[in-house]
Amino acid sequence: MANDSNKFQAIISHSKEYGFIFPSSEIYDGLSAVYDYGQWGSELKKNIKDHWWKSMTQLQENIVGIDAAIFMHPMTWKASGHVDNFSDPMIDNKDSKKRYRVDHLIEARIEALENDGKKADADALQTEMDRLLKESDYAGLKKLIEDQKIKCGVSGTSNWTDVRQFNLMFSTQLGSVSEEASEIYLRPETAQGIFVNFLNVQKTGRMKIPFGIAQIGKAFRNEIVARQFIFRMREFEQMEMQFFIRPGTQKEWYEHWKQARMQWHLGLGIPAEKYRFHDHIKLAHYADAACDIEFEFPFGFKEVEGIHSRTDFDLKNHQEYSKKKMQYFDSEINQNYIPYVIETSIGLDRTVLMVLSQAYTEEDLSTPEKQDSRVVLKFPPKLAPIKLAVLPLTKRDGLPEIGREIMDTCKQHFKCFYEEKDAIGKRYRRMDAIGTPFCVTVDHQTKEDQTVTIRHRDTMAQERIPVSAIASIVNGQLI
Ligand code: ATP
């Protein structure tokens, strides 16, 4: 079994080798922090999307989905605070010219202290960093970096610039003639597409508070330190839900969504000890409470989802900037008000990485006679790119024809894969490597009694079942 530090590298290589994730425009040496999903990665990603979408818009009767445009009126980002506030404090090393996010630099130092057994020093440093970030005390942060003698990993020096804010939004021009073109932004979050449509949806859907609007879509951030594979990308996808509530009820709804979202995560079959909540100390400009759900990636506990109590910040500001009323009439209490909002915001790509990290397993299958091992992706069946592989034992004797019939029936229900080349053991291993939960093998006995062997990915156990039962057995595992 690979240890944690090289397990991550193994996952990256495996993702590429088996058609999950490729560096973007790789033939031109790739583009930093941008990735493409291959044939199995895109299936996995879509299954995660569908699972989230269903949990929000099908299983909850008071949540509906929308699909807003990536481009939005530039005023949106003034109103949302992103033009003025969506920035990270950065610092450059003058010798290497390398730029760092201040919090990342100090966090690395905290981790090093912890690894040295200096827990009290690590805690003190964390507290001091949180305080300075909260107060936006940039001179203080620089002094802290210097006092801690933090060095650049490239130049090895502590020759730092001042700490500066760096806006993370990408801008581009709308319009073909440069004089007429206006600057617009690629959205850095999907949430604003929901806020500006709040009344459209509420009125046309006759929605009653409390209700939610969900959306899945691309977001773009010019991340300075883009690293860790698809964990931090410049173009990524978010699955967000804004839940509109009566002012004053935000505490209970915040707790409700914290628990509900954790249940969703546990429903992926990932054990509870792989998750933890992390409460925010420095709150974003829009929030009155916020926490992250963190998952234990091979590189440590990191955020996959944020749950934010956004108050009426966004709707109030849109009302102010657009001069359009963003109010809701609550007939139960006979009052007009701007609703408060609880947001749940999960990164789709980070969820893909989480599911991949959890699924990736190296198994030693050696016996005294023979060395053997396999890499298996133990995806929950509902998320697996392919649900069923149909494998005739040989290419002759009518076995492929029976296999094709099984394919024709089963592919109506779920994604199947047909293969007749290579020894059966090799074919099983290839299916293990992409996480296919079931393989059925058509052999000569099939011709006599209409049964096949079904092989279970995780246990490798095999049993004979009637051909007519295949679809319902697999379907039964996909809920
Ligand atoms: P981080 O602190 O890691 O930069 P964030 O707190 O800025 O993340 P949010 O603004 O709360 O993130 O966005 C919600 C979710 O979107 C995050 O929990 C994460 O899963 C995802 N996300 C944010 N930025 C990125 C990115 N650059 N690449 C991939 N996913 C991202």
Side-chain angles (χ1 to χ4, degrees), residues 221 223 231-233 236 238 303-304 308 345 347 350:
R221 295 183 187 179
E223 299 280 4
F231 180 82
R232 188 174 300 287
M233 302 200 287
F236 58 100
Q238 290 184 313
E303 168 180 353
V304 264
H308 310 125
S345 173
R350 276 190 200 177

Side-chain angles (χ1 to χ4, degrees), residues 112-136:
L113 286 170
E114 275 168 355
N115 291 342
D116 287 351
K118 297 180 179 159
K119 178 91 177 70
D121 291 348
D123 289 348
L125 182 54
Q126 179 81 52
T127 311
E128 184 61 357
M129 176 182 83
D130 289 342
R131 184 183 72 78
L132 293 168
L133 282 171
K134 192 165 193 282
E135 291 167 7
S136 301

Side-chain angles (χ1 to χ4, degrees), residues 195-394:
F195 290 124
V196 299
N197 279 298
F198 159 68
L199 278 185
N200 282 339
V201 174
Q202 189 271 318
K203 289 198 167 127
T204 57
R206 301 163 58 82
M207 306 300 290
K208 283 210 164 8
I209 272 179
F211 74 92
I213 305 179
Q215 175 166 224
I216 301 176
K218 291 267 183 175
F220 303 83
R221 295 183 187 179
N222 197 2
E223 299 280 4
I224 306 312
V225 189
R227 55 180 180 182
Q228 286 162 335
F229 194 37
I230 57 169
F231 180 82
R232 188 174 300 287
M233 302 200 287
R234 298 205 162 100
E235 173 183 340
F236 58 100
E237 246 174 294
Q238 290 184 313
M239 306 190 285
E240 296 199 303
M241 194 278 298
Q242 312 294 323
F243 199 70
F244 299 92
I245 54 173
R246 208 177 268 173
T249 62
Q250 64 269 32
K251 276 209 162 57
E252 67 201 72
W253 281 114
Y254 175 67
E255 283 309 318
H256 168 88
W257 280 108
K258 263 179 85 167
Q259 300 315 323
R261 291 306 303 148
M262 186 56 97
Q263 285 310 312
W264 182 88
H265 281 271
L266 297 175
L268 298 174
I270 297 176
E273 63 266 22
K274 298 286 281 186
Y275 288 110
R276 70 181 188 196
F277 284 112
H278 172 251
D279 292 321
H280 286 202
I281 297 164
K282 179 176 166 48
L283 293 172
H285 56 274
Y286 50 74
D288 78 348
C291 70
D292 300 330
I293 294 179
E294 295 185 339
F295 169 77
E296 191 177 18
F297 288 96
F299 44 85
F301 272 100
K302 298 279 178 217
E303 168 180 353
V304 264
E305 172 156 10
I307 296 152
H308 310 125
S309 173
R310 287 181 85 127
T311 68
D312 58 357
F313 176 89
D314 303 87
L315 290 179
K316 200 165 77 191
N317 279 3
H318 285 307
Q319 173 167 296
E320 193 183 317
Y321 279 77
S322 69
K323 311 273 182 283
K324 307 272 171 11
K325 280 238 172 311
M326 286 288 169
Q327 292 194 335
Y328 169 83
F329 178 69
D330 192 329
S331 55
E332 274 179 35
I333 53 171
N334 226 8
Q335 259 180 37
N336 263 312
Y337 55 78
I338 297 179
Y340 269 43
V341 171
I342 305 296
E343 165 182 80
T344 71
S345 173
I346 178 168
L348 175 53
D349 311 272
R350 276 190 200 177
T351 311
V352 170
L353 185 58
M354 173 176 86
V355 170
L356 267 173
S357 307
Q358 182 64 26
Y360 183 89
T361 315
E362 292 176 8
E363 282 180 357
D364 184 358
L365 305 174
S366 298
T367 58
E369 295 77 44
K370 197 168 141 237
Q371 286 250 318
D372 197 9
S373 66
R374 69 167 182 164
V375 173
V376 50
L377 298 183
K378 297 186 172 179
F379 295 131
K382 66 187 164 209
L383 301 184
I386 298 168
K387 315 300 186 198
L388 175 75
V390 179
L391 313 172
L393 196 58
T394 71

Side-chain angles (χ1 to χ4, degrees), residues 10-290:
I11 292 169
I12 297 172
S13 313
H14 190 88
S15 298
K16 185 169 173 220
E17 192 180 340
Y18 286 91
F20 283 86
I21 298 158
F22 309 123
S24 160
S25 31
E26 197 186 5
I27 57 168
Y28 296 105
D29 295 334
L31 183 64
S32 157
V34 186
Y35 290 90
D36 296 339
Y37 285 85
Q39 64 278 26
W40 306 135
S42 55
E43 291 286 344
L44 172 65
K45 188 174 166 192
K46 185 178 173 302
N47 293 340
I48 293 173
K49 247 195 252 197
D50 290 348
H51 178 58
W52 183 88
W53 189 254
K54 181 177 172 188
S55 75
M56 285 293 175
T57 69
Q58 185 175 324
L59 299 181
Q60 317 261 349
E61 292 169 31
N62 56 349
I63 299 180
V64 290
I66 64 164
D67 184 10
I70 288 172
F71 292 143
M72 299 184 71
H73 193 286
M75 201 59 93
T76 310
W77 307 109
K78 259 323 256 184
S80 69
H82 283 81
V83 172
D84 297 325
N85 290 313
F86 193 54
S87 49
D88 282 332
M90 312 293 306
I91 195 165
D92 293 17
N93 183 272
K94 289 183 192 163
D95 300 320
S96 67
K97 310 276 182 267
K98 209 170 149 37
R99 181 166 289 171
Y100 294 90
R101 248 174 78 170
V102 166
D103 56 337
H104 287 166
L105 208 53
I106 301 174
E107 272 163 12
R109 170 82 182 135
I110 293 169
E111 222 172 284
L113 286 170
E114 275 168 355
N115 291 342
D116 287 351
K118 297 180 179 159
K119 178 91 177 70
D121 291 348
D123 289 348
L125 182 54
Q126 179 81 52
T127 311
E128 184 61 357
M129 176 182 83
D130 289 342
R131 184 183 72 78
L132 293 168
L133 282 171
K134 192 165 193 282
E135 291 167 7
S136 301
D137 181 348
Y138 302 133
L141 283 163
K142 181 177 181 188
K143 186 163 177 315
L144 189 63
I145 288 171
E146 286 171 343
D147 289 350
Q148 290 289 324
K149 300 192 172 44
I150 295 176
K151 293 192 171 66
C152 165
V154 177
S155 66
T157 70
S158 302
N159 192 8
W160 299 108
T161 61
D162 287 341
V163 173
R164 278 171 309 196
Q165 289 289 84
F166 187 93
N167 196 294
L168 299 179
M169 282 198 293
F170 283 104
S171 64
T172 186
Q173 302 292 318
L174 189 76
S176 53
V177 189
S178 63
E179 304 84 68
E180 287 171 13
S182 58
E183 189 183 39
I184 57 164
Y185 297 103
L186 298 186
R187 64 181 179 197
E189 62 175 24
T190 59
Q192 297 306 322
I194 294 180
F195 290 124
V196 299
N197 279 298
F198 159 68
L199 278 185
N200 282 339
V201 174
Q202 189 271 318
K203 289 198 167 127
T204 57
R206 301 163 58 82
M207 306 300 290
K208 283 210 164 8
I209 272 179
F211 74 92
I213 305 179
Q215 175 166 224
I216 301 176
K218 291 267 183 175
F220 303 83
R221 295 183 187 179
N222 197 2
E223 299 280 4
I224 306 312
V225 189
R227 55 180 180 182
Q228 286 162 335
F229 194 37
I230 57 169
F231 180 82
R232 188 174 300 287
M233 302 200 287
R234 298 205 162 100
E235 173 183 340
F236 58 100
E237 246 174 294
Q238 290 184 313
M239 306 190 285
E240 296 199 303
M241 194 278 298
Q242 312 294 323
F243 199 70
F244 299 92
I245 54 173
R246 208 177 268 173
T249 62
Q250 64 269 32
K251 276 209 162 57
E252 67 201 72
W253 281 114
Y254 175 67
E255 283 309 318
H256 168 88
W257 280 108
K258 263 179 85 167
Q259 300 315 323
R261 291 306 303 148
M262 186 56 97
Q263 285 310 312
W264 182 88
H265 281 271
L266 297 175
L268 298 174
I270 297 176
E273 63 266 22
K274 298 286 281 186
Y275 288 110
R276 70 181 188 196
F277 284 112
H278 172 251
D279 292 321
H280 286 202
I281 297 164
K282 179 176 166 48
L283 293 172
H285 56 274
Y286 50 74
D288 78 348

